[in-house]
Amino acid sequence: MIEVFILAVALSMDAFAVSIGLGSKHTSLTRSLALKAGVYFGLFQGLMPLIGYLGGKGVLGWVDAYAHWIAFGLLLLIGAKMIFEALSEGIEEDITQITHKVLLLLAIATSIDAMAAGFTLTLLDVHPLLACAIIGAVTLVFSFVGVFVGARSGTWLESKAELLGGVVLILIGFKILLF
């Protein structure tokens, strides 16, 4: 369960970083925006790993001998992508109005990596629905809090959160590969 919680925190860092950026730009909508961001990001971060898990179960028989390598590769790529994004400008810089459509697109964009990480759930000794619920709940909380952090402090923490998430995913990948 500890691994699932660590995975949840690492995967939620994308949504947390975007939420900080949104909160820093829209300080007058903080409570409403925090609730919307939490629900959108939490829902998609919870659903996407389930899709990845189901896909992983479907191909696990074919790639069982290489499953650890595949999980390692996916987490390494996702972590590297998060680190790269942490070092570059975020998409929320260009957003002037936050609509349901914008939140939906941001939720999908930040949860694509969670779908790939869902494959690794096939290798953990945990019920997939519980794991996805934990990932979604952790992301909801981080996104909700992220809007308030952004509204209060600006974007200085935004890239650091994403960088930390990327490093943690890479470390989880090494753990799966080596142990």
Side-chain angles (χ1 to χ4, degrees), residues 149-168:
V149 170
R152 301 250 190 298
S153 66
T155 60
W156 69 270
L157 185 61
E158 184 178 358
S159 62
K160 291 168 184 58
E162 204 163 11
L163 183 67
L164 174 65
V167 169
V168 169

Side-chain angles (χ1 to χ4, degrees), residues 22-23 25 38 55 64 84 109 129 134 137 147 151 156:
L22 293 174
K25 303 275 182 282
D64 193 32
F84 175 76
L129 292 177
I134 290 170
V147 171
W156 69 270

Side-chain angles (χ1 to χ4, degrees), residues 53-139:
Y53 170 81
L54 293 173
K57 281 304 245 190
V59 299
L60 193 59
W62 298 339
V63 297
D64 193 32
Y66 306 103
H68 288 81
W69 283 100
I70 293 169
F72 168 73
L74 286 171
L75 290 173
L76 182 68
L77 287 172
I78 295 165
K81 175 185 157 276
M82 287 177 71
I83 291 169
F84 175 76
E85 289 174 353
L87 301 174
S88 61
E89 287 294 317
I91 57 175
E92 65 280 351
E93 300 295 324
D94 300 328
I95 296 173
T96 56
Q97 267 194 319
I98 300 176
T99 63
H100 288 287
K101 181 180 176 183
V102 167
L103 284 172
L104 177 65
L105 292 173
L106 287 173
I108 292 170
T110 58
S111 63
I112 294 296
D113 53 359
M115 183 170 53
F119 176 82
T120 64
L121 293 178
T122 61
L123 303 175
L124 300 177
D125 187 27
V126 65
H127 192 278
L129 292 177
L130 177 62
C132 291
I134 290 170
I135 292 168
V138 167
T139 302

